[in-house]
Amino acid sequence: MSDTERPSDPRNPVEVRFSVSDPAYPFVGITREEDCRVELERMLPRGSGTYAEFFSVIGADADRVLELARSNDLVEASLLSRYESGGLFEFLVSGFCPARRLAELGAIPQAVVSEDGEGRIAADVPADRDAAEVVDDFLDDHPSAELIAKRTKESSAPLFTTEELRMAVDDRLTDRQREILFAAYEAGHYERPRETTCEELADEFDISPATLSQHLRVAERKLVTVFAEDSTAPSSA
């Protein structure tokens, strides 16, 4: 039985897919200027409506990509890791960003990819959300986007699996970073909506919210770098 024939289960998430071609979106604009592939590896909330989006870019000079990204007033870009042809970048966004808007609406972005000036976005809408309402609200805010698919899924992948975390932290994180990261993960700090704030976590560790945020940011960058390098290794070989 195909996906379209399988009866939908109201407890399952709904996957929605959009196409976007507006070069004002940094991940789209970069591939319009350079012959490369831009793909979102991980997306993490920073608080106050800001998200850290980690993009891998394959097929373009890293310095050129950084130049293009920084020319866009909508993001704060930095290069985390340089590849033979491309690199891993962090984009801090707090405004006109489709993945960020979907997250705010309660959807879980699963794939954000662009090539040849054309972007594709896939997100899972949890069962407790109205998928039609999420789509309508998203298109109201991003009218240049187009809904190209909508289907019920059997499950939705978490941001980090426990196995992924354990494998990565053993090699890359300090004991303190490991302790704080796992505490944040288990307390629902990375859920949408967030179940625990930085202030609440900082109180548990008797440190300032700024210090806790710094520990988390360094740990997140280390982990995303590990996962992104693993995922792009075959393409850059």
Side-chain angles (χ1 to χ4, degrees):
M1 182 179 292
S2 68
D3 286 340
T4 56
E5 295 171 335
R6 185 181 295 114
S8 63
D9 187 331
R11 299 169 298 178
N12 291 344
V14 174
E15 180 188 60
V16 291
R17 291 179 174 269
F18 301 91
S19 65
V20 293
S21 57
D22 189 341
Y25 301 126
F27 79 103
V28 174
I30 289 170
T31 67
R32 178 166 291 191
E33 296 294 328
E34 296 292 321
D35 183 14
C36 63
R37 175 183 174 89
V38 178
E39 182 171 2
L40 181 67
E41 298 290 347
R42 288 292 188 273
M43 178 177 175
L44 301 174
R46 288 281 188 233
S48 302
T50 300
Y51 282 80
E53 298 178 349
F54 298 89
F55 283 93
S56 63
V57 179
I58 303 298
D61 177 74
D63 292 329
R64 171 59 175 161
V65 172
L66 195 60
E67 177 188 353
L68 290 170
R70 287 177 172 172
S71 69
N72 191 311
D73 295 335
L74 303 175
V75 302
E76 179 183 334
S78 57
L79 175 63
L80 302 184
S81 180
R82 190 183 298 270
Y83 305 154
E84 182 176 346
S85 179
L88 176 67
F89 299 82
E90 180 185 37
F91 291 175
L92 290 179
V93 299
S94 57
F96 184 66
C97 172
R100 169 185 172 274
R101 182 56 181 148
L102 284 168
E104 289 180 337
L105 291 170
I108 304 170
Q110 297 288 356
V112 179
V113 181
S114 179
E115 291 181 290
D116 300 322
E118 294 292 333
R120 294 289 184 271
I121 301 173
D124 290 349
V125 181
D128 61 350
R129 301 275 180 165
D130 185 330
E133 183 177 334
V134 169
V135 169
D136 288 343
D137 287 347
F138 175 74
L139 292 178
D140 283 344
D141 290 335
H142 296 271
S144 65
E146 178 184 354
L147 178 68
I148 56 177
K150 178 181 173 184
R151 69 183 182 92
T152 300
K153 295 180 65 177
E154 292 186 0
S155 63
S156 182
L159 180 67
F160 292 119
T161 67
T162 302
E163 182 180 2
E164 282 180 320
L165 278 173
R166 287 175 178 167
M167 290 175 63
V169 298
D170 285 343
D171 293 331
R172 296 297 182 100
L173 303 188
T174 66
D175 290 342
R176 188 62 163 171
Q177 290 166 353
R178 181 186 301 111
E179 180 184 20
I180 291 176
L181 184 69
F182 272 106
Y185 181 79
E186 292 174 356
H189 184 70
Y190 293 110
E191 297 297 326
R192 302 186 183 95
R194 180 173 286 175
E195 298 175 2
T196 305
T197 66
C198 281
E199 289 75 13
E200 291 169 334
L201 284 169
D203 285 343
E204 291 184 19
F205 288 96
D206 195 25
I207 58 178
S208 71
T211 299
L212 182 130
S213 295
Q214 179 65 17
H215 279 303
L216 285 178
R217 185 164 185 172
V218 172
E220 290 163 3
R221 282 188 166 195
K222 288 181 178 179
L223 293 181
V224 172
T225 299
V226 172
F227 300 142
E229 288 176 349
D230 286 347
S231 67
T232 58
S235 299
S236 59

